[in-house]
């Protein structure tokens, strides 16, 4: 996972740390269990797969951030 963070930082000019790794691991776990992601992977070459799941991954990230906020601040959820 550290390699992925390094590549993201280099490619997109981000400053992700190893602490961010947990967030990415949670997104990965959600994605590998998602039937739409699985079907997209089975039906497409890698480049089409990456394009096909972009919106799904974004949705997983937004949902995870929302879950975290509700866990930390339940009165403001």
């Amino acid at each position: 996972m550290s390699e992925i963070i390094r590549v993201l930082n280099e490619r997109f000019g981000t400053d992700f740390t190893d602490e961010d790794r947990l967030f990415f691991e949670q997104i990965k776990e959600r994605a590998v269990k998602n039937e739409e992601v699985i079907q997209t992977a089975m039906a497409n070459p890698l480049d089409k797969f990456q394009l096909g799941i972009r919106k799904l991954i974004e949705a997983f990230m937004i949902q995870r951030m929302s879950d975290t906020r509700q866990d930390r601040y339940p009165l403001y959820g």
Side-chain angles (χ1 to χ4, degrees):
M1 190 58 80
S2 293
E3 178 67 14
I4 293 171
I5 291 171
R6 184 188 65 73
V7 169
L8 286 171
N9 286 339
E10 287 177 4
R11 185 170 292 168
F12 300 108
T14 55
D15 192 26
F16 295 120
T17 65
D18 282 334
E19 288 89 31
D20 297 314
R21 186 170 19 119
L22 176 60
F23 176 79
F24 290 115
E25 287 176 3
Q26 291 167 336
I27 300 304
K28 181 184 86 171
E29 286 303 313
R30 195 173 278 188
V32 299
K33 294 176 184 174
N34 181 276
E35 190 62 33
E36 191 173 350
V37 172
I38 294 167
Q39 292 299 320
T40 303
M42 292 172 55
N44 292 286
L46 182 59
D47 60 331
K48 301 274 191 237
F49 167 72
Q50 291 171 330
L51 288 174
I53 66 163
R54 178 173 282 160
K55 293 290 183 191
L56 286 169
I57 298 300
E58 288 174 6
F60 295 154
M61 294 173 84
I62 291 167
Q63 182 62 49
R64 183 64 196 123
M65 287 185 285
S66 176
D67 293 348
T68 299
R69 185 178 56 134
Q70 288 176 356
D71 290 346
R72 289 185 180 164
Y73 310 104
L75 297 176
Y76 301 104

